[in-house]
Amino acid sequence: MPSVIRTTTLPSGEAVPVLGQGTWKMGEDARRRADEVNALKLGLDLGMTLIDTAEMYASGGAEEVVAEAIARRRDETVLVSKVLPSNASRAGVARACENSLKRLATDRIDLYLLHWPGSVPLEETVEAFEALKKAGKIRHWGVSNFDTHEMEQLVDLPDGGYVQTNQILYNLSQRGPEFDLSPWSRQRGIPLMAYSPVDQGALARNARLEAIAARHDATPAQIALAWVMRQDGVIAIPKASRQEHVRQNVAALDIELTPEDLADLDRAFPPPTRKRGLEMI
Ligand code: NAP
């Protein structure tokens, strides 16, 4: 039986785990495929049932890795995938979704995101998402890499208020969103999904985290994750293809950062003092 991970609530009222699994860079090399599938399966066993992927990753290859990992356990998975802005027209979204469903070997995506803002009018993409919802191909939709002004435009559109999440770059080294995007999202009950929560592995090697990690008998990566996940309405989606990393990431849920830890982290990774445009990778 999978363990139960703390959850946060989407605007739809559905609860989703605050810790999920990323898949960028998976599906690129056939020699690593078994490790990737096994890491995702272990993550599912340990309760990380939210899996994030995208049509872009390995040109669909990551979605195929996910399909293998969730085979016969689709119903326990919260499947998140993304459509490229170049496919964000009404017809393009429908086509891209069909292709993702085929690669994922499923009949529905739980949360379908626009990967980043593009040139197709947002209203058209929202209409396309809503049509997919009615057809039962997706259950919910959201966006990614949207800054505050873009979220404001989105929620003003007809049906724009159905947005369920905004997936953004957010970690100790990139705290820009705390200035206005995080408070804006929290106020409206729209969870943020923090991608690259260990800064693509860089925070795992960051010496400034070592003393705090030692206090918790933990690793720097676990401290970085615990810091992201301690915040209400934030979902972290680290990518781990090593089983050891998968286990450590789940264990990070049990780390309770103290006021002293948080003050030390603020000194080492200062919070923003002014608005900066949302960064993306
Ligand atoms: P990340 O999760 O911050 O870092 C992944 C790297 O950290 C991998 O090299 C992984 O190693 C390592 N790692 C994971 N857990 C670790 C641990 N406990 N200790 C030490 N190292 C650890 O970076 P990311 O992959 O860029 O971001 C996560 C996910 O967010 C992506 O996979 C993707 O699904 C999503 N994402 C979305 C966007 C977007 O535009 N929406 C952009 C980037 C990423 P191993 O793999 O060797 O275990």
Side-chain angles (χ1 to χ4, degrees):
M1 275 292 286
S3 47
V4 178
I5 283 182
R6 204 169 71 234
T7 58
T8 191
T9 309
L10 299 178
S12 71
E14 247 168 80
V16 291
V18 298
L19 178 62
Q21 307 190 73
T23 63
W24 189 23
K25 311 271 169 72
M26 289 190 181
E28 291 180 356
D29 181 346
R31 288 167 300 183
R32 294 203 307 257
R33 188 181 177 102
D35 285 346
E36 293 164 355
V37 170
N38 288 334
L40 290 173
K41 280 182 171 173
L42 174 64
L44 287 177
D45 292 341
L46 298 177
M48 288 193 288
T49 51
L50 185 149
I51 299 185
D52 176 76
T53 189
E55 63 170 339
M56 186 186 93
Y57 302 160
S59 305
E63 290 181 323
E64 290 170 358
V65 169
V66 172
E68 201 176 326
I70 66 170
R72 289 176 298 282
R73 47 202 307 192
R74 171 68 186 90
D75 290 347
E76 69 188 77
T77 311
V78 180
L79 200 47
V80 184
S81 193
K82 310 184 203 79
V83 58
L84 285 164
S86 51
N87 286 334
S89 66
R90 195 175 172 108
V93 169
R95 202 166 41 237
C97 183
E98 280 306 328
N99 290 335
S100 284
L101 288 171
K102 272 199 205 92
R103 288 188 294 262
L104 289 161
T106 186
D107 60 350
R108 70 207 184 272
I109 291 168
D110 296 300
L111 198 42
Y112 198 36
L113 312 182
L114 174 61
H115 210 144
W116 62 87
S119 57
V120 175
L122 203 45
E123 196 163 356
E124 181 174 342
T125 308
V126 170
E127 277 175 26
F129 281 155
E130 285 295 315
L132 286 176
K133 251 167 70 178
K134 286 198 184 74
K137 309 263 181 192
I138 66 171
R139 296 185 49 252
H140 301 290
W141 61 266
V143 293
S144 178
N145 297 300
F146 270 46
D147 208 341
T148 315
H149 66 284
E150 290 154 332
M151 288 305 289
E152 279 169 344
Q153 287 163 8
L154 173 63
V155 298
D156 277 349
L157 293 175
D159 293 336
Y162 289 119
V163 61
Q164 299 295 308
T165 192
N166 181 16
Q167 185 178 117
I168 56 160
L169 176 63
Y170 182 53
N171 58 48
L172 272 168
S173 302
Q174 272 109 1
R175 296 184 61 171
E178 285 170 40
F179 192 77
D180 64 349
L181 183 55
S182 304
W184 187 94
S185 307
R186 201 173 310 118
Q187 211 173 22
R188 283 158 189 79
I190 302 172
L192 290 172
M193 213 178 268
Y195 74 70
S196 309
V198 288
D199 201 8
Q200 302 197 287
L203 286 167
R205 299 180 293 272
N206 194 305
R208 288 176 293 173
L209 290 173
E210 274 167 15
I212 301 167
R215 294 206 279 264
H216 292 272
D217 199 13
T219 67
Q222 287 178 308
I223 298 300
L225 267 184
W227 179 84
V228 168
M229 292 189 294
R230 87 184 197 288
Q231 305 172 68
D232 274 348
V234 179
I235 302 160
I237 49 167
K239 172 257 182 186
S241 44
R242 287 182 224 188
Q243 302 209 7
E244 188 196 355
H245 288 164
V246 173
R247 290 184 198 283
Q248 289 171 354
N249 293 348
V250 175
L253 279 160
D254 295 329
I255 298 173
E256 280 188 38
L257 297 172
T258 64
E260 184 196 357
D261 297 331
L262 294 173
D264 286 352
L265 288 168
D266 280 346
R267 266 188 297 278
F269 306 91
T273 52
R274 63 181 173 87
K275 172 69 184 170
R276 290 176 55 180
L278 182 66
E279 290 176 66
M280 65 177 278
I281 51 173

